[in-house]
Amino acid sequence: MGNREKVLEAAACIFGRAGYQCTTVDEILECAGVAPSNFYYHFKSKEELALEVLEQFFERFRQVIAPIFINRSLSAPQKLERLHDYFVKKTTDNCCCGGCPLGNLAQELSDVHPEFQKRLAAFFEEAIDGLAGVVQEGVQQGQFRPSIDPKAGAYLLFGSLEGLLLLTKSMKKVDPLERGFRMALELLRNK
């Protein structure tokens, strides 16, 4: 792994745990085990690094979620259950620490850093549109209630997921995520 990748990996880890504002370049360099000259060779500033880390978070999420959402062999509820299973496993593997790095950065920076806010909002819209497509599919297939507005259902699911990840992080147990998301999904079902 090259120095650039080491810096990106270290920054992603520290930003995810401690946030952007509280993280110093020196902490990133120490964690990455690289010299300041290597940092400034690849990045002009901590902000430039953080924006690249943010884009990597987006891309990793797309790589996990897109195959689930486009899988024609899964029903809409199965797609949402797979999404849920992914977050439960990731949260369990992290011992309920960290929460959602994108949610953490959105809470920290959306009111104080316009570029972060713009990029986070665009990605959240993309994710919500993907969820709305799955909800629409479920409505059309009769698996979700016909009265469900797909976009509103996507807001419910996305907001529930972010909030439940925060509760799981704060309470240090996966129960809120495990049970809460299943209840949100149950509210969509056509009984």
Side-chain angles (χ1 to χ4, degrees):
M1 177 184 307
N3 288 333
R4 185 173 195 285
E5 290 75 24
K6 288 179 186 176
V7 170
L8 284 164
E9 187 175 291
C13 178
I14 296 171
F15 290 154
R17 184 185 72 245
Y20 172 79
Q21 307 264 25
C22 292
T23 301
T24 66
V25 171
D26 288 340
E27 289 172 307
I28 295 168
L29 294 175
E30 183 178 334
C31 181
V34 301
S37 60
N38 286 315
F39 177 86
Y40 291 106
Y41 176 78
H42 296 291
F43 306 99
K44 293 179 182 138
S45 64
K46 180 175 105 171
E47 179 181 331
E48 181 182 295
L49 168 65
L51 289 169
E52 190 157 336
V53 167
L54 195 62
E55 293 299 327
Q56 284 189 340
F57 282 146
F58 297 160
E59 192 52 39
R60 283 186 202 137
F61 188 77
R62 287 180 187 114
Q63 289 174 2
V64 169
I65 301 311
I68 296 170
F69 283 5
I70 63 171
N71 187 334
R72 292 181 186 265
S73 69
L74 299 175
S75 68
Q78 288 171 326
K79 290 176 183 183
L80 296 176
E81 287 167 4
R82 291 264 177 102
L83 174 71
H84 171 253
D85 293 344
Y86 165 77
F87 282 106
V88 168
K89 180 176 181 350
K90 188 166 178 55
T91 301
T92 303
D93 290 349
N94 290 335
C95 301
C96 298
C97 292
C100 175
L102 297 178
N104 294 343
L105 288 170
Q107 287 178 328
E108 179 185 10
L109 298 170
S110 287
D111 288 339
V112 296
H113 199 296
E115 186 61 27
F116 278 94
Q117 182 277 327
K118 181 176 124 186
R119 291 184 189 204
L120 284 161
F123 180 75
F124 288 163
E125 284 289 343
E126 177 186 330
I128 288 165
D129 287 346
L131 281 169
V134 173
V135 173
Q136 177 67 39
E137 179 183 320
V139 169
Q140 289 172 340
Q141 294 172 353
Q143 296 157 332
F144 295 151
R145 291 185 288 138
S147 62
I148 297 289
D149 172 271
K151 188 78 163 202
Y155 286 141
L156 171 69
L157 292 169
F158 191 85
S160 295
L161 186 56
E162 282 297 326
L164 294 166
L165 285 166
L166 176 65
L167 284 174
T168 296
K169 173 184 172 180
S170 297
M171 297 171 79
K172 299 294 183 225
K173 61 182 185 178
V174 78
D175 191 53
L177 178 60
E178 180 64 50
R179 295 176 61 201
F181 191 81
R182 291 205 185 280
M183 181 52 67
L185 184 56
E186 194 60 32
L187 293 172
L188 298 177
R189 290 188 191 274
N190 193 9
K191 304 208 181 210

